[in-house]
Amino acid sequence: MNPLAGAHQEIQVLSDWAYLRAHLTVTMTPRDGGKATRRSGFTLTILRKLPPGNWVLARDANLMTTEG
């Protein structure tokens, strides 16, 4: 089972900045057993390009809520 499933709804690159909008579903299972918790919702991730050319996370926000 994939504990993380989702789909990117939008990806935009603007010079040295980029953002991604997505809808994710995440299942979290405690290591010591217990009931798994499932959350889903929208996310917004902002990336910044560093001078060597690699991208790093600048900000990340989500509106994920626990599913019934």
Side-chain angles (χ1 to χ4, degrees):
M1 171 181 16
N2 183 357
L4 176 64
H8 287 102
Q9 296 183 327
E10 180 181 7
I11 300 173
Q12 292 288 326
V13 178
L14 309 157
S15 185
D16 292 341
W17 292 90
Y19 68 87
L20 300 84
R21 285 189 319 113
H23 187 276
L24 298 178
T25 300
V26 178
T27 303
M28 297 171 284
T29 305
R31 288 184 182 203
D32 59 353
K35 184 178 177 183
T37 303
R38 188 174 162 130
R39 294 177 180 234
S40 65
F42 293 95
T43 66
L44 175 65
T45 303
I46 300 174
L47 305 170
R48 184 171 52 103
K49 191 174 186 180
L50 297 179
N54 55 316
W55 291 90
V56 296
L57 181 68
R59 295 285 186 271
D60 194 42
N62 72 71
L63 296 172
M64 297 175 66
T65 58
T66 303
E67 294 183 353

PDB file of all heavy atoms in Angstrom, residues 2 9 12 15 26 33-34 39 44 48 50 68:
ATOM      1  N   ASN A   2       0.545   2.191  -0.820  1.00  0.00           N
ATOM      2  CA  ASN A   2       1.268   3.458  -0.887  1.00  0.00           C
ATOM      3  C   ASN A   2       0.742   4.384   0.203  1.00  0.00           C
ATOM      4  O   ASN A   2      -0.426   4.763   0.188  1.00  0.00           O
ATOM      5  CB  ASN A   2       1.070   4.085  -2.265  1.00  0.00           C
ATOM      6  CG  ASN A   2       1.844   5.370  -2.446  1.00  0.00           C
ATOM      7  OD1 ASN A   2       2.491   5.844  -1.529  1.00  0.00           O
ATOM      8  ND2 ASN A   2       1.770   5.939  -3.611  1.00  0.00           N
ATOM      9  N   GLN A   9      -1.796  19.521  -9.247  1.00  0.00           N
ATOM     10  CA  GLN A   9      -2.809  20.217 -10.019  1.00  0.00           C
ATOM     11  C   GLN A   9      -2.229  21.363 -10.813  1.00  0.00           C
ATOM     12  O   GLN A   9      -2.786  21.772 -11.811  1.00  0.00           O
ATOM     13  CB  GLN A   9      -3.913  20.714  -9.090  1.00  0.00           C
ATOM     14  CG  GLN A   9      -4.640  19.569  -8.434  1.00  0.00           C
ATOM     15  CD  GLN A   9      -5.771  20.049  -7.576  1.00  0.00           C
ATOM     16  OE1 GLN A   9      -5.718  21.110  -6.979  1.00  0.00           O
ATOM     17  NE2 GLN A   9      -6.808  19.249  -7.498  1.00  0.00           N
ATOM     18  N   GLN A  12       4.264  25.745 -11.557  1.00  0.00           N
ATOM     19  CA  GLN A  12       4.701  26.943 -12.270  1.00  0.00           C
ATOM     20  C   GLN A  12       6.140  27.257 -11.876  1.00  0.00           C
ATOM     21  O   GLN A  12       6.493  27.190 -10.695  1.00  0.00           O
ATOM     22  CB  GLN A  12       3.826  28.143 -11.915  1.00  0.00           C
ATOM     23  CG  GLN A  12       2.410  28.056 -12.417  1.00  0.00           C
ATOM     24  CD  GLN A  12       2.325  28.239 -13.921  1.00  0.00           C
ATOM     25  OE1 GLN A  12       3.086  28.988 -14.521  1.00  0.00           O
ATOM     26  NE2 GLN A  12       1.393  27.528 -14.522  1.00  0.00           N
ATOM     27  N   SER A  15      11.436  32.059 -13.080  1.00  0.00           N
ATOM     28  CA  SER A  15      12.834  32.390 -12.847  1.00  0.00           C
ATOM     29  C   SER A  15      13.422  31.473 -11.779  1.00  0.00           C
ATOM     30  O   SER A  15      13.499  30.275 -11.977  1.00  0.00           O
ATOM     31  CB  SER A  15      12.978  33.869 -12.487  1.00  0.00           C
ATOM     32  OG  SER A  15      14.341  34.215 -12.370  1.00  0.00           O
ATOM     33  N   VAL A  26      -2.677  10.975   2.742  1.00  0.00           N
ATOM     34  CA  VAL A  26      -1.570  10.378   3.489  1.00  0.00           C
ATOM     35  C   VAL A  26      -2.144   9.444   4.538  1.00  0.00           C
ATOM     36  O   VAL A  26      -3.077   9.808   5.265  1.00  0.00           O
ATOM     37  CB  VAL A  26      -0.723  11.472   4.184  1.00  0.00           C
ATOM     38  CG1 VAL A  26       0.397  10.864   4.998  1.00  0.00           C
ATOM     39  CG2 VAL A  26      -0.177  12.448   3.169  1.00  0.00           C
ATOM     40  N   GLY A  33       2.276  -0.171  16.410  1.00  0.00           N
ATOM     41  CA  GLY A  33       0.936  -0.717  16.204  1.00  0.00           C
ATOM     42  C   GLY A  33      -0.110   0.350  16.446  1.00  0.00           C
ATOM     43  O   GLY A  33       0.197   1.512  16.667  1.00  0.00           O
ATOM     44  N   GLY A  34      -1.337  -0.042  16.401  1.00  0.00           N
ATOM     45  CA  GLY A  34      -2.412   0.916  16.610  1.00  0.00           C
ATOM     46  C   GLY A  34      -3.104   1.240  15.295  1.00  0.00           C
ATOM     47  O   GLY A  34      -2.730   0.764  14.224  1.00  0.00           O
ATOM     48  N   ARG A  39      -5.261  11.244   6.323  1.00  0.00           N
ATOM     49  CA  ARG A  39      -5.534  12.675   6.136  1.00  0.00           C
ATOM     50  C   ARG A  39      -5.501  12.994   4.643  1.00  0.00           C
ATOM     51  O   ARG A  39      -4.744  12.379   3.896  1.00  0.00           O
ATOM     52  CB  ARG A  39      -4.502  13.530   6.857  1.00  0.00           C
ATOM     53  CG  ARG A  39      -4.552  13.399   8.346  1.00  0.00           C
ATOM     54  CD  ARG A  39      -3.463  14.203   8.995  1.00  0.00           C
ATOM     55  NE  ARG A  39      -3.536  14.059  10.425  1.00  0.00           N
ATOM     56  CZ  ARG A  39      -3.600  15.065  11.272  1.00  0.00           C
ATOM     57  NH1 ARG A  39      -3.564  16.298  10.842  1.00  0.00           N
ATOM     58  NH2 ARG A  39      -3.673  14.844  12.547  1.00  0.00           N
ATOM     59  N   LEU A  44       0.316  23.557  -0.817  1.00  0.00           N
ATOM     60  CA  LEU A  44       1.001  24.562  -1.622  1.00  0.00           C
ATOM     61  C   LEU A  44       2.467  24.539  -1.212  1.00  0.00           C
ATOM     62  O   LEU A  44       2.784  24.720  -0.035  1.00  0.00           O
ATOM     63  CB  LEU A  44       0.421  25.958  -1.401  1.00  0.00           C
ATOM     64  CG  LEU A  44       1.146  27.100  -2.105  1.00  0.00           C
ATOM     65  CD1 LEU A  44       1.037  26.963  -3.618  1.00  0.00           C
ATOM     66  CD2 LEU A  44       0.595  28.443  -1.651  1.00  0.00           C
ATOM     67  N   ARG A  48      12.778  27.479  -4.125  1.00  0.00           N
ATOM     68  CA  ARG A  48      13.704  28.530  -4.553  1.00  0.00           C
ATOM     69  C   ARG A  48      14.934  27.868  -5.160  1.00  0.00           C
ATOM     70  O   ARG A  48      15.449  26.889  -4.633  1.00  0.00           O
ATOM     71  CB  ARG A  48      14.102  29.392  -3.359  1.00  0.00           C
ATOM     72  CG  ARG A  48      14.982  30.566  -3.721  1.00  0.00           C
ATOM     73  CD  ARG A  48      15.146  31.500  -2.529  1.00  0.00           C
ATOM     74  NE  ARG A  48      15.581  30.812  -1.331  1.00  0.00           N
ATOM     75  CZ  ARG A  48      16.826  30.835  -0.855  1.00  0.00           C
ATOM     76  NH1 ARG A  48      17.759  31.515  -1.484  1.00  0.00           N
ATOM     77  NH2 ARG A  48      17.127  30.189   0.240  1.00  0.00           N
ATOM     78  N   LEU A  50      18.786  27.758  -5.922  1.00  0.00           N
ATOM     79  CA  LEU A  50      20.047  28.298  -5.409  1.00  0.00           C
ATOM     80  C   LEU A  50      21.044  28.502  -6.549  1.00  0.00           C
ATOM     81  O   LEU A  50      20.904  27.897  -7.620  1.00  0.00           O
ATOM     82  CB  LEU A  50      20.628  27.343  -4.370  1.00  0.00           C
ATOM     83  CG  LEU A  50      19.783  27.140  -3.121  1.00  0.00           C
ATOM     84  CD1 LEU A  50      20.458  26.145  -2.191  1.00  0.00           C
ATOM     85  CD2 LEU A  50      19.511  28.444  -2.401  1.00  0.00           C
ATOM     86  N   GLY A  68     -12.837  10.705   8.150  1.00  0.00           N
ATOM     87  CA  GLY A  68     -13.683   9.960   9.078  1.00  0.00           C
ATOM     88  C   GLY A  68     -13.322   8.560   9.169  1.00  0.00           C
ATOM     89  O   GLY A  68     -13.320   7.782   9.987  1.00  0.00           O
TER      90      GLY A  68
END
